[in-house]
Amino acid sequence: VMSPAWSPDGRRIAYVSFENRRPAIYLQDLGSGRRELLASFPGINGSPAFSPDGARLALTLSKDGSPDIYSLNLLSRELIRLTDHYAIDTEPSWSPDGRSIIFTSDRGGSPQIYRMSASGGGAERISVDGDYNGRASYSPDGRSIAMVTRINGSFRIAVLDTGRGITRLLSAGDLDESPSFAPNGSMVIYATIHGGRGVLAAAGIEGGGSQRLSQDSGQVREPAWSPYMR
């Protein structure tokens, strides 16, 4: 089980399960434990992401060829293809106002962050620095984007100011991944390696270094910070 994504009201989680030896996306109600199969097409079923109103889910499917971004209406179950490119399009994330989606694509030769309308259409590249940028997500105010960037062969967590186009590094590990904003936007939680195993760490957006979170055993990956609970 991987790639957890919270619904905006904090009552449901979408995730990818390999329980039947192939990827499938499920939606689970946290209160009752009841879950529902959303996508189990041939090929890739991955990277679920809720829209800000909780009505739609962006996801990556390869059922029609190369991996592309789709939008699934959770009420009607209408599935709309948003990208149609021979490259790999994956890891969608909605803007806080629901008007646009950012995603990772190698259509320019290396993985970079692109932005398109939530209804699909043309996409523009928004990451500038580095030969690898991926796994991006918006801050709650929509002014910045947390992402994984590659620096001299090491994967670090960075924040891109979308207005000024300035990228700042938040982490200093060799294999940092899966950044997730706190609900108030002040911190980013991410996965890193310490002592040969996967642990969680958090870093403040305004600097001050990062801090590992206590963990006694096991491997931890792909954190997802919950929304404010009501």
Side-chain angles (χ1 to χ4, degrees):
V1 175
M2 58 188 296
S3 302
W6 289 89
S7 64
D9 61 8
R11 297 178 179 178
R12 298 173 294 171
I13 288 181
Y15 58 86
V16 178
S17 173
F18 287 80
E19 62 198 69
N20 293 318
R21 299 186 179 182
R22 54 179 293 188
I25 297 175
Y26 287 86
L27 179 64
Q28 183 160 333
D29 180 87
L30 297 180
S32 66
R34 183 180 62 86
R35 66 178 191 155
E36 181 181 1
L37 178 63
L38 296 181
S40 183
F41 298 102
I44 294 171
N45 300 272
S47 303
F50 279 95
S51 61
D53 61 3
R56 292 169 290 170
L57 200 71
L59 59 163
T60 301
L61 303 174
S62 64
K63 67 184 186 67
D64 296 315
S66 60
D68 278 301
I69 309 299
Y70 292 73
S71 175
L72 175 66
N73 186 305
L74 293 176
L75 181 61
S76 68
R77 290 299 188 266
E78 179 185 14
L79 185 66
I80 300 175
R81 187 174 184 174
L82 301 181
T83 66
D84 187 359
H85 202 278
Y86 61 82
I88 296 174
D89 295 338
T90 186
E91 300 174 343
S93 178
W94 300 77
S95 63
D97 62 9
R99 295 179 179 178
S100 60
I101 292 175
I102 54 175
F103 60 97
T104 305
S105 177
D106 64 353
R107 61 182 62 191
S110 66
Q112 297 291 342
I113 309 303
Y114 290 77
R115 178 172 51 205
M116 66 178 172
S117 167
S119 59
E124 61 173 336
R125 177 175 165 177
I126 61 173
S127 59
V128 177
D129 301 322
D131 62 357
Y132 179 101
N133 293 287
R135 196 60 182 270
S137 60
Y138 273 102
S139 62
D141 62 10
R143 296 178 180 176
S144 58
I145 290 172
M147 61 186 182
V148 177
T149 188
R150 184 166 57 196
I151 304 293
N152 296 325
S154 296
F155 291 91
R156 310 278 177 80
I157 305 302
V159 170
L160 170 64
D161 184 314
T162 57
R164 297 182 296 170
I166 298 174
T167 301
R168 294 184 293 110
L169 292 178
L170 296 185
S171 72
D174 292 327
L175 191 58
D176 302 334
E177 62 175 14
S178 303
S180 175
F181 272 102
N184 63 6
S186 65
M187 301 184 72
V188 167
I189 193 171
Y190 61 95
T192 187
I193 301 296
H194 177 70
R197 61 189 179 91
V199 299
L200 299 184
I205 297 302
E206 300 302 325
S210 59
Q211 178 181 1
R212 289 192 303 273
L213 305 184
S214 176
Q215 178 193 335
D216 295 329
S217 62
Q219 301 278 348
V220 178
R221 295 182 61 192
E222 299 188 337
W225 211 313
S226 74
Y228 285 122
M229 301 301 187
R230 297 172 182 172

